[in-house]
């Protein structure tokens, strides 16, 4: 389409593929399944952000007491800090921006030195979690590798 950038066009193509109702060789149905398939990415994304925010709350609670009534605030702070980090294009993974935003928001609940320490420890915690995910994926042998090993035997 004229006037659209390649990134937007790619996202649009991916979205169309994701939302496709029918399979190759079959006519598209008018079943509600199309809506379910198109609604699942935002629903799963929201579930991920809620889970991540709850984990952040329990991480902070493991360090210092926080009332359960503040759970929603901690979910929102975590998501907002990540978003600010994503929006900063000058540093990798929002390094520094995410921590500063989180420290600023945590300062409402804790003294400033504690808020800064919590934001820095939270970065280490999230980085360790990401590295654990990478290590897990690297530890799972790929199908191609398994097929090559089978052929070699």
């Amino acid at each position: 389409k004229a006037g659209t950038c390649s990134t937007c066009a790619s996202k649009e193509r991916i979205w169309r593929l994701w939302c496709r109702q029918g399979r190759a060789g079959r006519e598209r149905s008018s079943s509600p399944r199309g809506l379910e398939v198109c609604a699942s990415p935002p629903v799963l994304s929201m579930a991920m952000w809620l889970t991540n925010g709850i984990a952040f709350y329990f991480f902070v609670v493991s360090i210092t007491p926080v009332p359960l009534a503040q759970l929603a605030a901690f979910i929102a702070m975590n998501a907002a800090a990540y978003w600010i980090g994503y929006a900063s294009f000058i540093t990798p993974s929002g390094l520094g921006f995410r921590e500063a935003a989180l420290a600023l928001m945590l300062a409402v609940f804790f003294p400033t030195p504690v808020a800064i320490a919590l934001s820095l420890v939270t970065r280490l915690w999230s980085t360790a979690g990401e590295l654990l995910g990478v290590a897990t994926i690297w530890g799972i042998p790929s199908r191609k590798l398994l097929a090559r090993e089978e052929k070699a035997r």
Side-chain angles (χ1 to χ4, degrees):
K1 294 179 181 177
T4 59
C5 68
S6 62
T7 304
C8 296
S10 296
K11 287 180 181 179
E12 185 177 321
R13 273 185 248 133
I14 290 168
W15 185 250
R16 270 192 260 125
L17 283 171
W18 184 265
C19 292
R20 196 170 51 195
Q21 291 181 18
R23 302 214 187 270
R26 285 196 293 169
E27 233 176 90
R28 293 180 186 214
S29 68
S30 60
S31 71
R33 184 177 183 284
L35 177 62
E36 293 166 6
V37 170
C38 288
S40 66
V43 169
L44 292 175
S45 178
M46 187 171 38
M48 186 275 307
W49 283 110
L50 283 172
T51 304
N52 195 356
I54 292 167
F56 170 65
Y57 171 80
F58 283 118
F59 175 73
V60 172
V61 166
S62 74
I63 297 170
T64 184
V66 178
L68 185 60
Q70 301 302 327
L71 175 63
F74 276 73
I75 291 171
M77 281 189 292
N78 184 58
Y82 264 92
W83 185 86
I84 290 168
Y86 290 149
S88 105
F89 296 109
I90 47 180
T91 61
S93 296
L95 191 60
F97 286 89
R98 185 169 91 187
E99 291 77 20
L102 188 58
L104 187 65
M105 290 182 272
L106 286 171
V108 172
F109 298 95
F110 305 104
T112 303
V114 174
I116 292 170
L118 280 172
S119 70
L120 295 175
V121 172
T122 299
R123 169 62 86 163
L124 294 175
W125 172 66
S126 65
T127 301
E130 291 165 358
L131 291 175
L132 180 64
V134 169
T136 301
I137 295 300
W138 277 355
I140 299 172
S142 69
R143 289 183 188 174
K144 289 181 181 181
L145 181 61
L146 291 174
R148 280 189 217 142
E149 288 177 0
E150 281 294 318
K151 279 185 175 181
R153 289 182 194 172

